[in-house]
Amino acid sequence: MRLFIQSVFLILISVSYYSCQQKSKYVIGVSQCSVDEWRDKMNMEMLNEAALSQNIELIILSSNDDTKKQISDIKYLIDQKVDLLILTPNEIAPMTPIIENIYDSGTPVILVDRKIDSDKFTAFIGADNYQIGTEVGRYAVNLLNGKGNIVEIKGLTGSSSAIERHRGFYDIVEKYPNMKIVFEGDAGWFKTEGALQMRKALNSTDSIDLVFVQNDRMAKGAFEEATKEDRAKNIYFLGIDGLPGPGEGIDMVLQNKLEATFLYPTGGDKTIQLATDILEKKYFKKENILPTSVIDKTNAKILKLQTDQIVEQQSKIVLLNQRINKQLEKYIAQRNITYLISVLAILFCILLIGLLKAYHAKKKLNNKLHDSNLEIIKQKNELEAHQLQLLALSKQLEEATHAKLAFFTDISHDFRTPLTLISGPVDLLLETSEPHKEGYKWLKIIKKNVDILLRLVNQIIEFRSIETNNAKLSLSPNNIDSYLKDWNLLFLQMIQKNKIEFSYQSEYFEHMCMFDLEKVERIYFNLLSNAFKFTGREGSISVLLSRIVEEEQAYIQITISNTGQGLSDDDINNIFERFYRVESHVTGSGIGLALVKALVELHEGCIAAISKNDLTTFIVKLPYIVSRQTIDKADTRITSLEQVHYDDKLTIQQPDSSTEIDSNYTLLIVDDNEEIRYYIRSIFKNKYHIIEASDGEEGLHLAYENNIDIIISDVMMPKIDGVELCTKIKEDIRVCHIPVVLLTACSLDEQRIKGFESGADAYISKPFNPRILEVRIQKMLENRQKIKKHLSGNILTESYNTLNINTLDDALILKLKNYILERISDTNLNVEDISSEFGLSRAQFYRKMKAITNQGPNEFIRAIRLNKSVEILRTGKNVSEVAYEVGFTSPAYFTKCFKEFFHKNPSEIS
Ligand code: FRU
């Protein structure tokens, strides 16, 4: 590219050099004083000469006999930086200093035909005007034989030619005393002025023999003026210039208008030759006098022929010159085109060379690129192969890890049932044996280690469930405060043993909220275990339950702080990483806190650890979701701060005995594992009547046949499994009111979800703390009891509908209510009719009514009749009317029943 630019640059210089060569070498300025035939002829001669020389450019200006204009013309030419100036000064005086200046400044000046009053000019060319004047004088003397009156009509008074011509003429004439100049007038070289002066002369005298007019043009005017008076024929007219051509000097001689004219040569060609010599520094003469001669009748004819020929020749030369010029222009144009084409061809060649070079360079580059591409592809392939190897390796590793985890999980599942069966009976044994006996201590050791094993096993299973994305949330409304307190009790022994100051504080807010009970239990248990692990003897652990709002989202916040050695920054950053262990504490699987974090995040909550001044704090935030039930019970909210200090005076809380428990509750245990059945039976045998079934089918059958209050069922069983059993129970109107608790060794959430979808009322995974199971079952029974109580009093009111016990039971009660209300005045309405209407046996119907409403069918019918009677009594009807209207056979019996039911007389209703 650089080469290309350089070449273009060189070519442009050459072209501009060439263009310079086309310009004329010299520029010559010409300032003519007049516009007339004489000047035209001279200009033509100069142009022809310049054209012949080819290197002279002429700029010709004419000032039209106006001296001021001539001065400005000359300035213009000087501004154009002409190489030489040719001029005829119009007048001597004003032009002399201007010409001197130009000459002094170094521009050569040629004076033509007229002179100035100074030597400061380069050269003069023209005829000798004095000499012409003398020749005219001599000619006049001859013509008049030395005697006669003469009139002289002169050119411009200030011009040198006029002055010199007069002086020459006068010098001759004055020698002849009989020759008198009778009139002199200035006609300024113009024809009209010539005529005017002639008029004056004619008017001044009657005797004029000869008129000397200083040029032929003025002579023409004078002659014509004299002719007007017919006086021309008696007068000799003499002129100067002797120009060829029609009506000019020679012609006027031939026409007898002039006696003679004196040749005043124009000499344009010679002037240019002189200028060239000056410019080219050749030898030249300062004074160049052109010859003159008289033209009269003796030579005019031959001169005319000669000059005509010359004019013809000249016009041919002009034509030729024009043709040559045209040819020259053509030639120049063609030469220019040739140059242009050559330049373009050179440019094209350079471009071609450049393109070829670029092409080669590109080809080279392409080859290089191709090579490097090949190299890159090779490297890419190697990388891909490497990546594939790595992928295969990581897949193998992943598979191995999965296999390991799966193996550990399977083993953990297998371990859990036997561990449960060790842990449970040990609990029972511990409760029954006496603490001071030797065996008691051994049982404690067994219990402690079994619990550790169970916890590890459970963590592995839970962790696996999260790793395989099978962990799901099962939100249910629970009292968080109440559960945290229950779980605190599990650490009572450690509190007492290590003399730990343990405090639990809960802030005032609605504690009934939605969370996954088992997962929060796991979170809390792990964090508390961790706190106890790091708290030395006589240390302190504090728990705070609070409610916070962050970015318009409410959270339950559980803050667990413990004293101890504290955690390093490194520990804080990694504490929730799986298998991370705090260095100073080597025991533990390193899964606990990772599991806690995963469980918290499953709740869409967050967890953080802070360690400051030996105080380690874990803060758990779980979204605070208030349950529907809570909103309904808004008036029962806690309104005071509760703080509990756990010390050695505390004992494990016993199930709440304030609620009236029906000891005739019947519990159906469905499990294919006989030992588990035995274990559960041993937990509840002193409280409830127990019925056992070894599979779901048997369990379902027993549920139909017996008045069952609650079912505890395993999930994995032959024939009908726990989920199916639950579904069948919840879909059957006869038994759908029975609460079902699913109990299994498998804690996979998918199964839990299935369990809840089947309508299970609770899902408890093994291993379970027997006391916690006991409390759960008791609370469920209490709940049923409360609902029954509520229903017995509000069966006719709309509040029944909001309890939402079970859709089948809801539908049954609603249908039953409507059925009775439609037949309210029918005294014969009986239980048999109703039970058959609902497709149930009398016994089944009785059991159903008792289970839902805590009332027998007859009591239920009576309650509806009595509730309806209140409505009618309010319309103002009397008691007897109302009694019959609601199906009582006698008003007295109605009054008795009414009083028993409402503790009021019907007459008191208004
Ligand atoms: C032309 C002219 C001639 C005359 C000469 C004198 O301009 O008037 O006729 O001979 O100038 O300078």
Side-chain angles (χ1 to χ4, degrees), residues 140 508 718 729 771 801:
Y508 320 132
I729 294 277
R771 288 292 167 229
N801 299 336

Side-chain angles (χ1 to χ4, degrees), residues 33-34 36 38-39 88 113-114 129 161 165 189 214-217 240-241 264:
C33 59
S34 316
D36 51 46
W38 193 91
R39 302 282 159 193
T88 302
D113 132 61
R114 299 183 195 178
N129 280 298
S161 48
R165 282 177 195 181
W189 306 116
Q214 285 193 351
N215 73 1
D216 292 345
R217 194 153 30 114
I240 297 179
D241 279 349
Y264 190 66

Side-chain angles (χ1 to χ4, degrees), residues 184-316:
E184 277 181 40
D186 178 353
W189 306 116
F190 298 112
K191 181 189 171 190
T192 47
E193 288 294 312
L196 205 70
Q197 293 304 325
M198 188 65 210
R199 167 63 29 214
K200 284 181 183 172
L202 288 171
N203 290 346
S204 66
T205 176
D206 290 336
S207 173
I208 300 170
D209 300 304
L210 187 142
V211 178
F212 166 41
V213 195
Q214 285 193 351
N215 73 1
D216 292 345
R217 194 153 30 114
M218 292 186 293
K220 197 184 278 179
F223 177 81
E224 282 169 6
E225 196 59 33
T227 310
K228 282 180 191 167
E229 284 187 22
D230 202 22
R231 290 174 68 179
K233 56 183 186 230
N234 301 319
I235 303 170
Y236 294 114
F237 285 91
L238 297 178
I240 297 179
D241 279 349
L243 286 176
E248 296 300 328
I250 298 171
D251 208 25
M252 282 169 74
V253 171
L254 288 170
Q255 288 173 12
N256 292 319
K257 291 177 182 174
L258 292 179
E259 194 58 30
T261 181
F262 290 81
L263 181 70
Y264 190 66
T266 44
D269 49 346
K270 291 192 172 57
T271 310
I272 293 301
Q273 284 162 16
L274 175 64
T276 311
D277 288 345
I278 294 166
L279 287 168
E280 289 179 353
K281 314 271 187 231
K282 288 182 182 166
Y283 168 76
F284 66 94
K285 287 199 290 183
K286 187 162 182 168
E287 291 285 323
N288 297 276
I289 305 301
L290 299 174
T292 181
S293 67
V294 65
I295 302 166
D296 58 11
K297 285 184 189 78
T298 57
N299 61 0
K301 210 169 180 181
I302 193 137
L303 256 173
K304 182 178 161 40
L305 283 171
Q306 279 176 356
T307 52
D308 282 355
Q309 242 182 354
I310 291 167
V311 168
E312 200 186 313
Q313 296 272 320
Q314 257 184 346
S315 61
K316 277 184 183 170

Side-chain angles (χ1 to χ4, degrees), residues 489-628:
L489 295 173
L490 301 171
F491 294 90
L492 206 61
Q493 270 184 313
M494 285 179 85
I495 294 168
Q496 290 165 344
K497 196 176 143 199
N498 293 326
K499 295 200 169 155
I500 285 169
E501 192 190 315
F502 183 87
S503 80
Y504 171 82
Q505 195 176 346
S506 62
E507 278 182 3
Y508 320 132
F509 66 95
E510 176 50 62
H511 293 144
M512 243 349 232
C513 53
M514 305 292 286
F515 58 92
D516 187 316
L517 187 59
E518 274 205 37
K519 288 192 173 68
V520 172
E521 182 191 6
R522 187 86 73 224
I523 293 165
Y524 189 67
F525 189 82
N526 263 306
L527 289 175
L528 262 194
S529 303
N530 197 65
F532 276 99
K533 209 187 278 180
F534 287 91
T535 308
R537 269 186 79 79
E538 297 182 354
S540 66
I541 296 173
S542 66
V543 178
L544 171 67
L545 171 67
S546 54
R547 178 184 172 278
I548 59 155
V549 176
E550 277 178 4
E551 291 171 0
E552 295 178 15
Q553 164 72 54
Y555 293 93
I556 301 168
Q557 183 168 280
I558 304 167
T559 311
I560 300 167
S561 304
N562 67 275
T563 57
Q565 60 205 35
L567 295 170
S568 68
D569 285 352
D570 209 32
D571 290 338
I572 294 281
N573 290 334
N574 296 294
I575 199 135
F576 298 113
E577 293 293 318
R578 70 183 72 153
F579 309 119
Y580 181 80
R581 288 181 195 174
V582 175
E583 260 182 42
S584 56
H585 191 93
V586 284
T587 60
S589 62
I591 267 184
L593 288 176
L595 180 64
V596 164
K597 187 169 187 271
L599 292 171
V600 168
E601 283 169 356
L602 203 62
H603 269 88
E604 293 182 3
C606 58
I607 184 164
I610 307 162
S611 188
K612 206 176 176 187
N613 302 333
D614 295 343
L615 190 74
T616 306
T617 305
F618 283 85
I619 303 167
V620 173
K621 286 181 211 163
L622 302 173
Y624 178 61
I625 310 159
V626 182
S627 68
R628 176 76 213 154

